Amino acid sequence: MNTPSLRELTRVFARIGVMSFGGPAAQIAVMHRELVDDRPWLSEQQFLNALSFCMLLPGPEAMQLCTYAGWRLRGVTGGLIAGLLFTLPGALVMLALVWAYATWGALPLAEALFLGIKATVAIVVLQALLRLSGKALKSRDRYVLAVLSFLALFALNAPFPLIIALAATYGALTATGDHSATAAPPLKARTPRTIALWLGLWWAPIATAWALGADTLAAIGLFFSKLAVVTFGGAYAVLAYMTQEVVETNHWLTTPQMMDGLGLAETTPGPLILVTEFVGFMAGHNAAGPGLALAAAALTLWVTFVPCFLWIFTAAPYVEWISSRPRLTGALSAITAAVVGVIANLSLWFALHVFFDQVTRADLGPLSPAWPIWSSFNAPALGLAVVAAYLLLRLRLSLPLALVLMAAAGAGLGVMTG
């Protein structure tokens, strides 16, 4: 492994940051090419061990893998440079998009444009489900975990963190492998000081908001801090839980706004979890206008990504040891299988809200799944989704290009039918 200069490291990770479209699979592929194939900065085994480790953590695994790579090359300074350069380009783009959305999003043409984007995202979520299920469901019990996870969310509205905890417990208890195998010792670590520093940074702005009496801002910070702890499996997995909380429990956003936010997040570089920036901005905007919107967006970004640095800088010295522990890898495997069911629920939820203008809850007592009002079927949305599927699955266009084309198609359809 070669140690790059800070200038060279910054140049390479800046390029990774601006090329990080297409979700974690594409982002991880870009990092592999830049850090393993094109230059001898990490070995294949180091990269794979780091990837497995990051998938054990809550939060965006691609951003955390990028941060770990920077840490491995140049310590904490390298980790900060890598993580920030991976996140900031997308965060700035998202800020511009959500500001425009809050200003002009209610216009008929804008709504038609977003219909094309939402129809495309419905196909993207389905793609994510098919891709992950092929990798995660390798045995009968993993299929059962996925089905139970789907039913728990769709029929029972079970809490997402409970599903993850139960899956991890099952995976750890049923893990097979050599539990006595020796592993490489941890690298030099300053664990207590690292935890204290990053916990303080994480909670300082929330405490400040609470002390100043900014109750809405403090509530937003507390919610997204909780989300940062349970975001296993990426943004797709946690979206249904986040939607339930911000739409049905806290009433910060409407369901259409939530869906538009995911569509916008798909158009930006960086991790898809940047959808939280959209949610934070719109929550503040809906509550008190642009001033609170900017503060809420900044706080949301802070409490979403500062925990990522906490996890990485605390646990990075132990990566080689963690990667050899059967119970930890068993827990990860079970969590991944459960996440397939979570994304299946998200796929159905998203499809219902794209293809039907009205969705209600079936009156089944405690078992109350979402149910469409059939008379509200949106045929243009289905037509746009078919076109999006052709572009992505048949022609294999890049996601940014497909989103641009489908947004234009939605706008054109809106003009013709308006």
Side-chain angles (χ1 to χ4, degrees), residues 5-278:
S5 66
L6 284 177
R7 181 176 181 179
E8 187 179 11
L9 181 143
T10 300
R11 178 178 59 83
V12 170
F13 281 101
R15 183 162 65 247
I16 291 173
V18 298
M19 292 192 303
S20 57
F21 289 93
Q27 294 159 356
I28 290 167
V30 168
M31 276 185 271
H32 186 274
R33 186 181 70 239
E34 293 284 341
L35 304 176
V36 179
D37 295 338
D38 291 354
R39 49 187 62 81
W41 287 3
L42 295 177
S43 69
E44 185 74 31
Q45 192 58 51
Q46 286 173 333
F47 187 88
L48 291 176
N49 285 345
L51 178 58
S52 298
F53 159 66
C54 291
M55 291 182 69
L56 280 169
L57 300 174
E61 65 266 29
M63 180 269 181
Q64 292 174 153
L65 176 61
C66 194
T67 304
Y68 173 83
W71 174 89
R72 183 85 191 196
L73 294 168
R74 293 297 304 233
V76 172
T77 301
L80 286 171
I81 291 172
L84 289 173
L85 287 176
F86 187 82
T87 305
L88 284 178
L92 292 174
V93 172
M94 175 58 81
L95 180 61
L97 290 174
V98 68
W99 189 287
Y101 177 85
T103 305
W104 298 298
L107 297 177
L109 183 61
E111 292 178 355
L113 183 148
F114 276 104
L115 181 62
I117 292 176
K118 286 185 283 193
T120 307
V121 172
I123 303 302
V124 172
V125 176
L126 180 61
Q127 272 188 306
L129 172 64
L130 296 175
R131 185 167 54 243
L132 183 59
S133 62
K135 295 179 180 179
L137 307 183
K138 300 293 188 181
S139 60
R140 183 176 298 177
D141 67 330
R142 294 308 189 245
Y143 275 100
V144 171
L145 276 175
V147 171
L148 291 177
S149 174
F150 170 78
L151 292 175
L153 282 169
F154 179 70
L156 301 176
N157 291 317
F160 174 75
L162 176 62
I163 292 172
I164 293 300
L166 291 175
T169 301
Y170 171 81
L173 293 177
T174 59
T176 58
D178 185 0
H179 296 269
S180 63
T182 58
L187 300 176
K188 184 178 180 182
R190 298 172 177 173
T191 304
R193 188 168 72 178
T194 300
I195 293 174
L197 171 63
W198 287 96
L199 276 178
L201 290 171
W202 179 359
W203 288 98
I206 302 173
T208 301
W210 179 80
L212 293 176
D215 294 341
T216 300
L217 203 57
I220 290 171
L222 285 171
F223 170 71
F224 285 106
S225 292
K226 179 173 67 174
L227 200 70
V229 178
V230 301
T231 315
F232 292 92
Y236 288 127
V238 79
L239 184 66
Y241 167 63
M242 179 165 58
T243 301
Q244 181 183 35
E245 292 293 312
V246 303
V247 174
E248 299 179 9
T249 303
N250 295 314
H251 307 291
W252 290 337
L253 273 72
T254 65
T255 296
Q257 286 177 332
M258 188 70 221
M259 295 166 63
D260 291 342
L262 182 60
L264 285 178
E266 292 283 9
T267 69
T268 66
L272 186 60
I273 201 66
L274 284 171
V275 67
T276 58
E277 181 185 4
F278 175 94

